[in-house]
Amino acid sequence: MIDVVVGAQYGSEGKGVIVSEMARRNEYAAFVRVGGPNAGHSHRAFNRKWAQRMLPVGWAHSGPASLLILGRGAVVSPDILQKEITDAEGYTENLRNRVIVDEGATWLQPRHESIEGKIYGDLHRMIGSTGEGVGAARRDRMARNISQSTLMGQRREDSMFLVGDTVEMLDDIRRGNSGSDILVEGTQGSGLSLVHGPWPFVTTADVNAAGIMADVGIAPGADVRVVLVARTYPIRVAGNSGPMFRELTWDEISTRTGKVIQEHTTVTKLVRRVGEWDPGLFRRACILNNPAWIALTFMDYVDPDLEGETDFARVMRSHEAAKFIANVEEIAERPVLAVGTGGPEWSVAWSS
Ligand code: GTP
Ligand code: MG
């Protein structure tokens, strides 16, 4: 099977936590990421927190033979990837021989970051972009200017990771015997899609399942299973980042939960915008992604007594949680199989 984890809203749905749990519960032959370092995936492993901007989260639960792949559609910052490999190396075996970057992946270079200027640049002011240079790197690729190196295969050899044809590798795994599962980790969320999102407040790729798979180079098929991750309260990055259904304040969330809550972005540390559950956005994400099942995170914002809960039956005993889940299942016409409850361990309750 090929599991594809996709965000249902504007990112920060907690895909990192769900991917990490899935990697713990199943043995995958390969973990794949596309997209760029403008997304940070938080997860917990080895008694600490991690915020992964390049390396697939699954590395932390990967066997010594499983591959960690940055696919052909990825936008790769070698510096950030090298730093993450160095950080992770003491915790897992044989890492340098298992990280494989596609030779055709886009090479993110310092000049791209300078063009966009991070959160001090025009793009941040105009559309709330994180300005990491991912869009500038993709534009370079589209310009097809042969005088500029653009692809990862055009770099000199690197001692920290391998560079190769990941489409062939993944195809070999896909055709292999049963048990050769692949986990594809999406970045950002359906509502940020270049094609399907509220332009111009969008990212520079289609971040829905079909777009992600096209970037990885895995064709559609009956063995592809989409997992849609949705938050009970969607967020957007800080600033002028686009339309939001029934926007709230963190004060309002704090009053509702009886706890002081304020979220900051993983990469830029700015205060996030937050809003009420948006049924229209979620329905559209279901149409675009045809999920097999839903992971619903931030249930601790709906019922604070559930914080850290891992027992699904107990989650369902909460009237508010059960009602919320029923509503989500009705829209999706698919089951909620995992519920995120936060707490110090970033807990998840699984229905089986
Ligand atoms: P992006 O591609 O950047 O959107 O990644 P992501 O979906 O992996 O999300 P990210 O890690 O950026 O943000 C999610 C944050 O929410 C992290 O800090 C998680 O620790 C936290 N989180 C995840 N699930 C839950 C949950 O159920 N409850 C609470 N309270 N926090 C959660
Ligand atoms: Mg993030």
Side-chain angles (χ1 to χ4, degrees), residues 27-74:
E27 220 169 272
Y28 289 95
F31 298 93
V32 189
R33 180 162 164 169
V34 282
N38 49 354
H41 295 179
S42 317
H43 64 112
R44 281 196 68 97
F46 312 109
N47 290 317
R48 58 163 276 199
K49 296 178 186 179
W50 302 80
Q52 238 66 72
R53 296 173 62 191
M54 288 266 68
L55 213 49
V57 163
W59 76 262
H61 311 286
S62 60
S66 62
L67 304 181
L68 301 157
I69 289 179
L70 291 175
R72 195 164 170 99

Side-chain angles (χ1 to χ4, degrees), residues 17 26 75 102 119 128 132 138 145 211 229 338:
V17 172
N26 185 40
V75 178
D102 198 280
I119 56 169
E132 301 278 340
R138 284 187 169 130
N145 179 350
V229 186

Side-chain angles (χ1 to χ4, degrees), residues 44-262:
R44 281 196 68 97
F46 312 109
N47 290 317
R48 58 163 276 199
K49 296 178 186 179
W50 302 80
Q52 238 66 72
R53 296 173 62 191
M54 288 266 68
L55 213 49
V57 163
W59 76 262
H61 311 286
S62 60
S66 62
L67 304 181
L68 301 157
I69 289 179
L70 291 175
R72 195 164 170 99
V75 178
V76 179
S77 158
D79 294 347
I80 297 174
L81 178 58
Q82 283 163 357
K83 190 180 163 301
E84 291 190 355
I85 291 171
T86 311
D87 273 1
E89 229 166 9
Y91 296 89
T92 186
E93 281 175 57
N94 196 25
L95 190 59
R96 289 186 190 208
N97 294 315
R98 295 194 289 122
V99 178
I100 304 161
V101 177
D102 198 280
E103 61 206 7
T106 303
W107 178 9
L108 178 61
Q109 299 166 48
R111 66 190 156 91
H112 298 127
E113 196 189 279
S114 328
I115 291 169
E116 293 189 0
K118 297 220 159 184
I119 56 169
Y120 310 101
D122 286 347
L123 266 180
H124 181 73
R125 189 173 45 74
M126 291 188 303
I127 61 157
S129 165
T130 57
E132 301 278 340
V134 172
R138 284 187 169 130
R139 273 209 309 279
D140 257 4
R141 184 189 185 117
M142 282 189 260
R144 291 156 294 168
N145 179 350
I146 55 166
S147 69
Q148 235 152 27
S149 43
T150 305
L151 306 182
M152 283 299 285
Q154 294 173 308
R155 285 178 81 241
R156 54 175 177 70
E157 288 292 296
D158 199 298
S159 60
M160 288 231 190
F161 52 82
L162 308 171
V163 177
D165 182 347
T166 67
V167 176
E168 287 280 347
M169 287 173 199
L170 289 168
D171 189 56
D172 282 347
I173 294 173
R174 186 183 200 181
R175 287 166 198 282
N177 302 322
S178 59
S180 296
D181 292 345
I182 298 172
L183 199 167
V184 180
E185 177 180 332
T187 63
Q188 304 172 286
S190 182
L192 293 173
S193 162
L194 171 64
V195 181
H196 295 283
W199 189 91
F201 301 100
V202 293
T203 190
T204 52
D206 180 17
V207 285
N208 289 290
I212 295 167
M213 297 313 274
D215 276 354
V216 173
I218 294 179
D223 55 346
V224 177
R225 185 166 55 184
V226 178
V227 177
L228 194 59
V229 186
R231 302 173 51 121
T232 55
Y233 287 91
I235 61 93
R236 263 187 175 288
V237 300
N240 184 29
S241 52
M244 188 156 216
F245 178 74
R246 294 193 189 149
E247 188 156 358
L248 298 168
T249 62
W250 289 109
D251 281 349
E252 175 63 27
I253 306 270
S254 301
T255 308
R256 289 186 191 182
T257 57
K259 289 187 185 127
V260 179
I261 297 176
Q262 189 182 61

Side-chain angles (χ1 to χ4, degrees), residues 12 39-41 266 272:
S12 306
H41 295 179
T266 313
R272 288 169 168 159

